[in-house]
Amino acid sequence: MKKYMPVLGNCPLFAHIAAADLPGLMNCMGATEKAYSKKETILAEGAAAHSIGILLSGSAQIVQIDYYGNRSILGTLAPGDLFAETFACAGVKEIPVNVIASENCTVVFISCERVLHSCSSACSFHRQLLSNLMSILANKNIQFHQKIEIASKRTTREKLMTYLMQQAKRCGSSSFDIPFTRQELADYLQVDRSGLSVQISQLQKEGLIETSRKHFRLL
């Protein structure tokens, strides 16, 4: 855990909390560390939602699979990102999504119950921890609305351009990288991969975008 303290220091859940307090905080939160291999399931749909996960290294995806086996990517995770916090705070009995490692990664789980309720020692960082958690949940709500904006579009072209414009705005630049392969982008936009490839080629021909693998530029 010690080698990941710089990552935890940059995690939004621990914003404005002194680095010297982090080891004691993690102990107070009942932190447990676990390593996962690429494509391994970190959290499976149907699992109980008692803990908040924090990615320490590697990357992962939040994935939903419907009754027919169709895969939809709901989000990506990088070091310092949280997951399952919404379900844990809401007391959901069964998580409705899967969290899958995109590459070898390390995760720490902390008790949601201990985050929400001060311990007997009345640690000074609890008030800040709750404030940070509220901010994170609010930002996740904004991201959810951005996903709805994409899903509301009728055509593959509209969904793709809406997503690319959101990314450009987030990065503050017309040139940016996305965290998806072509198949993953199709899964995120919930469109057919071949149809997505056709639209990307068409947009390039029209001089609206330039792209190479995961890099895009809006023209």
Side-chain angles (χ1 to χ4, degrees):
M1 184 78 67
K2 185 177 180 180
K3 69 177 181 179
Y4 295 116
M5 284 301 162
V7 176
L8 292 173
N10 290 322
C11 176
L13 183 61
F14 307 126
H16 310 298
I17 294 176
D21 289 334
L22 286 178
L25 183 154
M26 297 308 288
N27 183 62
C28 183
M29 297 297 106
T32 56
E33 182 183 330
K34 189 172 181 180
Y36 295 88
S37 301
K38 182 178 180 179
K39 296 185 178 180
E40 187 176 357
T41 299
I42 299 171
L43 278 181
E45 181 180 352
H50 298 309
S51 300
I52 296 172
I54 305 172
L55 195 67
L56 298 177
S57 68
S59 60
Q61 295 177 340
I62 302 172
V63 177
Q64 192 167 50
I65 301 174
D66 68 17
Y67 179 81
Y68 297 102
N70 298 311
R71 180 172 176 266
S72 176
I73 297 176
L74 303 181
T76 59
L77 299 169
D81 286 344
L82 273 67
F83 60 91
E85 74 284 354
T86 302
F87 305 123
C89 290
V92 174
K93 293 183 178 180
E94 296 184 351
I95 294 175
V97 298
N98 300 278
V99 180
I100 301 173
S102 303
E103 56 186 340
N104 294 345
C105 62
T106 307
V107 173
V108 63
F109 292 97
I110 60 175
S111 167
C112 183
E113 179 69 18
R114 295 191 185 187
V115 172
L116 296 177
H117 301 93
S118 296
C119 63
S120 58
S121 301
C123 300
S124 60
F125 47 70
H126 263 103
R127 184 185 298 272
Q128 185 63 55
L129 206 59
L130 287 172
S131 176
N132 292 343
L133 181 60
M134 184 178 296
S135 178
I136 290 168
L137 293 174
N139 282 318
K140 288 290 180 75
N141 192 44
I142 292 172
Q143 292 172 16
F144 176 69
H145 282 285
Q146 290 176 337
K147 189 70 163 64
I148 289 178
E149 182 184 4
I150 293 171
S152 68
K153 304 303 180 183
R154 294 187 177 184
T155 67
T156 298
R157 181 188 179 103
E158 290 175 329
K159 290 183 177 183
L160 173 61
M161 287 304 297
T162 299
Y163 171 72
L164 294 178
M165 287 187 287
Q166 285 180 358
Q167 293 304 299
K169 186 175 182 179
R170 182 182 66 82
C171 296
S173 172
S174 61
S175 184
F176 52 88
D177 292 324
I178 66 171
F180 301 125
T181 63
R182 287 291 185 269
Q183 181 59 61
E184 290 169 345
L185 179 58
D187 291 340
Y188 181 79
L189 299 177
Q190 296 180 299
V191 299
D192 179 71
R193 178 179 176 177
S194 60
L196 175 63
S197 296
V198 168
Q199 289 303 318
I200 290 175
S201 296
Q202 185 61 36
L203 288 168
Q204 289 186 97
K205 289 178 181 177
E206 294 175 17
L208 296 177
I209 66 170
E210 288 180 352
T211 181
S212 177
R213 296 182 180 275
K214 295 184 179 182
H215 185 78
F216 282 82
R217 182 184 174 210
L218 298 182
L219 303 175

